[in-house]
Amino acid sequence: MSKEFYLEKYFLSDQREETGVNAMSISDISGIPRATVIRKLNKLLKEKFLTIDNKKHYTSAGLHAQKLLEVQKETFNNLSKFSARIYNLSLMKKIKF
């Protein structure tokens, strides 16, 4: 999935209210214990970085959403550059001069 698709679906969409991620998914993806994830999410809720719906799905919110989006774009760009470098190095290692 392209980063533009991901950003559009989860952060810029008019239907953001229908999307979100729960604490268990964050825990599974990150490897961070669920209790720690919940504590961190509660802190972000208190600081109004996130909102939570009745299904316990967390989404970015309010004034901070644009700040989060900028940080996330930069992170995606850095990750894609890093991944490309690693891939290119692995190709070079396979080719013996």
Side-chain angles (χ1 to χ4, degrees), residues 50-65:
L50 299 176
T51 59
I52 187 169
D53 64 13
N54 58 352
K55 295 179 183 177
K56 303 235 180 203
H57 290 160
Y58 296 88
T59 56
S60 59
L63 301 172
H64 301 295

Side-chain angles (χ1 to χ4, degrees), residues 6-7 10-12 16 44-45 47-51 58-76:
Y6 176 81
L7 291 171
Y10 292 105
F11 292 97
L12 302 175
R16 273 192 330 179
L44 291 170
L45 284 169
E47 294 175 8
K48 301 190 188 300
F49 277 92
L50 299 176
T51 59
Y58 296 88
T59 56
S60 59
L63 301 172
H64 301 295
Q66 186 60 35
K67 291 179 189 177
L68 291 171
L69 185 60
E70 291 170 13
V71 170
Q72 189 170 30
K73 282 182 180 179
E74 184 66 27
T75 302
F76 275 132

